[in-house]
Amino acid sequence: MTMTSTFTTAEEREAILDAVRDYAEAELAPFAIERDEKHLFPRDALHRGGELGLGGIYVREESGGTGLSRLDTVAIFEELAKGDPTIASYISIHNMVAWMIDTYGDDVQRADWLPKLTVMREFGSYCLTEPGAGSDAAAITTSAVRDGDDYVLTGVKQFISGAGESSVYVVMARTGATDSGARGISAFLVSDGTPGLGFGALEKKMGWHAQPTRQVIFDGVRVPASAMLGDEGKGFAIAMSALNGGRLNIAACSLGGAQWALDRAVAYIHERVAFGEPLAEKQSILFTVADMRTDLQAARLMVRDGAQAVDDHAPDATMRCAMAKRFATDAGFDVANRALQLHGGYGYLQDYGIEKVVRDLRVHQILEGTNEIMRLIVGREMLRPAGSASMRSSS
């Protein structure tokens, strides 16, 4: 079944999620350990996901996407991550790029890129972070200097997922003065193969082995002024608006990966006997599993709340997304780690897949804004009178 519109009925929603589960079970789960071990980027599997509609989940239908709500989107990413959190997370980043082009691009940019991105015949990457400007994104130094009808980009981006595989890079670069902060940043669409565009070596990472991560290097990359995405000086706002959805998607991927690990732990507990007693009859084990399930459900509700806030264009959507991302990625990693502990020594073996999920989910607490930055967002909002009032009204 191909996803074709915003969910309107419970039956349609379940049918689409069934299709996503089938895809995850057929294309992701059976190969997750091998792809992790051999660092294989599954282009063909992603192409087939594109045929299902996974390349533009919340891109508008008139732009070739599926036009689904953010509430529906997080349910989809949770199911994808049960198959493989690494690939689900990459699909999230790709969807951020497609959404940015749909939302801020002009007719030509949408026509050029979205037909290929929404079906994942080609891939997209999001280029914000720099070696010297991690959480302080407004301090980026990659420059875009106007030269006639062109801009010339110079600088380096760090930790870019899909680098070297993508056809289009959404790049945040400074068009204003060096001290202009967030107001001096603009966004550009840079095509693969543009002279001066290069890549660093593949990063050797703790997890996410099946998706490539490299530096993206801009050595006098010349792009036409028409490659600017949105208005000059609005790049930082564009980048931040995309992160609301990205944070929810990554939070949902943490839920899916952790739920898979919890399910494996429950199955293992039923099979094992220790000190002459089944593990399933030990009260300490029951309490652990109960806490794991409770934590995941609490996180799931927070992610849904954040998604609803984005769908409703709520004024406190950024804060609610930040809370959801922080809580869900912390809970997801903790649940996966406890699932490993419940497996004992077997949890540490690659064949069981638990240790892979633990490694994969650890980075979710860092990317799309570290969880320390999520606390900063929430704390600053709470110290504003309007923020405090918003929290009181929603309690």
Side-chain angles (χ1 to χ4, degrees), residues 21 75 88 98 109 154 162 181 206 268 273 376:
R21 289 187 198 104
Q109 291 168 337
T154 304
M206 176 179 177
Y268 181 79
V273 174
L376 191 64

Side-chain angles (χ1 to χ4, degrees), residues 197-217:
L197 177 66
F199 307 98
L202 283 168
E203 301 288 1
K204 298 177 181 179
K205 300 170 293 185
M206 176 179 177
W208 274 23
H209 289 168
Q211 57 162 290
T213 304
R214 294 181 173 93
Q215 285 187 337
V216 179
I217 302 164

Side-chain angles (χ1 to χ4, degrees), residues 94-168:
H94 174 90
N95 270 267
M96 283 175 58
V97 170
W99 177 83
M100 292 169 76
I101 295 173
D102 182 36
T103 304
Y104 298 104
D106 57 33
D107 290 342
V108 173
Q109 291 168 337
R110 285 193 290 268
D112 282 348
W113 290 112
L114 292 180
K116 297 173 284 191
L117 294 176
T118 55
V119 297
M120 282 199 283
R121 287 200 308 272
E122 296 184 2
F123 306 118
S125 288
Y126 175 87
C127 299
L128 175 63
T129 303
E130 295 186 1
S135 295
D136 187 8
I140 65 172
T141 59
T142 295
S143 63
V145 177
R146 187 70 184 248
D147 182 18
D149 293 332
D150 299 333
Y151 283 89
V152 179
L153 278 62
T154 304
V156 177
K157 297 295 182 178
Q158 183 76 26
F159 305 131
I160 306 305
S161 293
E165 294 287 347
S166 291
S167 295
V168 61

Side-chain angles (χ1 to χ4, degrees), residues 323-341:
M323 289 192 296
K325 191 269 181 182
R326 199 284 298 170
F327 192 87
T329 57
D330 282 350
F333 175 75
D334 183 61
V335 167
N337 197 37
R338 283 192 279 177
L340 188 155
Q341 188 74 16

Side-chain angles (χ1 to χ4, degrees), residues 50-344:
E51 293 171 1
L52 185 66
L54 294 174
I57 298 172
Y58 44 97
V59 169
R60 294 173 298 170
E61 287 183 274
E62 55 264 37
S63 299
T66 54
L68 300 180
S69 70
R70 299 307 179 98
L71 192 59
D72 299 325
T73 296
V74 295
I76 288 170
F77 277 108
E78 183 171 350
E79 293 301 327
L80 288 173
K82 291 176 185 176
D84 188 347
T86 299
I87 304 307
S89 299
Y90 177 73
I91 294 174
S92 165
I93 294 165
H94 174 90
N95 270 267
M96 283 175 58
V97 170
W99 177 83
M100 292 169 76
I101 295 173
D102 182 36
T103 304
Y104 298 104
D106 57 33
D107 290 342
V108 173
Q109 291 168 337
R110 285 193 290 268
D112 282 348
W113 290 112
L114 292 180
K116 297 173 284 191
L117 294 176
T118 55
V119 297
M120 282 199 283
R121 287 200 308 272
E122 296 184 2
F123 306 118
S125 288
Y126 175 87
C127 299
L128 175 63
T129 303
E130 295 186 1
S135 295
D136 187 8
I140 65 172
T141 59
T142 295
S143 63
V145 177
R146 187 70 184 248
D147 182 18
D149 293 332
D150 299 333
Y151 283 89
V152 179
L153 278 62
T154 304
V156 177
K157 297 295 182 178
Q158 183 76 26
F159 305 131
I160 306 305
S161 293
E165 294 287 347
S166 291
S167 295
V168 61
Y169 297 85
V170 178
V171 183
M172 309 307 154
R174 187 164 300 284
T175 49
T178 56
D179 61 352
S180 58
R183 296 184 303 277
I185 296 171
S186 301
F188 295 88
L189 300 178
V190 179
S191 301
D192 185 39
T194 302
L197 177 66
F199 307 98
L202 283 168
E203 301 288 1
K204 298 177 181 179
K205 300 170 293 185
M206 176 179 177
W208 274 23
H209 289 168
Q211 57 162 290
T213 304
R214 294 181 173 93
Q215 285 187 337
V216 179
I217 302 164
F218 303 90
D219 184 9
V221 172
R222 183 177 293 271
V223 297
S226 60
M228 183 178 287
L229 184 67
D231 296 330
E232 184 169 349
K234 300 297 184 182
F236 187 79
I238 291 172
M240 293 302 103
S241 70
L243 284 178
N244 277 343
R247 287 165 181 163
L248 292 172
N249 296 347
I250 288 298
C253 289
S254 288
L255 294 176
Q259 185 66 58
W260 179 89
L262 175 56
D263 292 344
R264 299 289 83 71
V266 168
Y268 181 79
I269 288 165
H270 280 298
E271 298 169 359
R272 291 290 289 179
V273 174
F275 302 101
E277 182 182 15
L279 285 183
E281 295 181 9
K282 292 183 178 294
Q283 189 178 73
S284 62
I285 298 295
L286 295 178
F287 284 0
T288 297
V289 171
D291 287 345
M292 293 162 73
R293 180 65 176 85
T294 302
D295 290 348
L296 278 187
Q297 185 61 14
R300 187 173 288 115
L301 293 174
M302 289 194 72
V303 171
R304 291 173 181 171
D305 175 75
Q308 190 66 63
V310 175
D311 284 335
D312 292 343
H313 303 286
D316 60 350
T318 295
M319 179 177 67
R320 287 157 69 180
C321 290
M323 289 192 296
K325 191 269 181 182
R326 199 284 298 170
F327 192 87
T329 57
D330 282 350
F333 175 75
D334 183 61
V335 167
N337 197 37
R338 283 192 279 177
L340 188 155
Q341 188 74 16
L342 287 170
H343 278 77

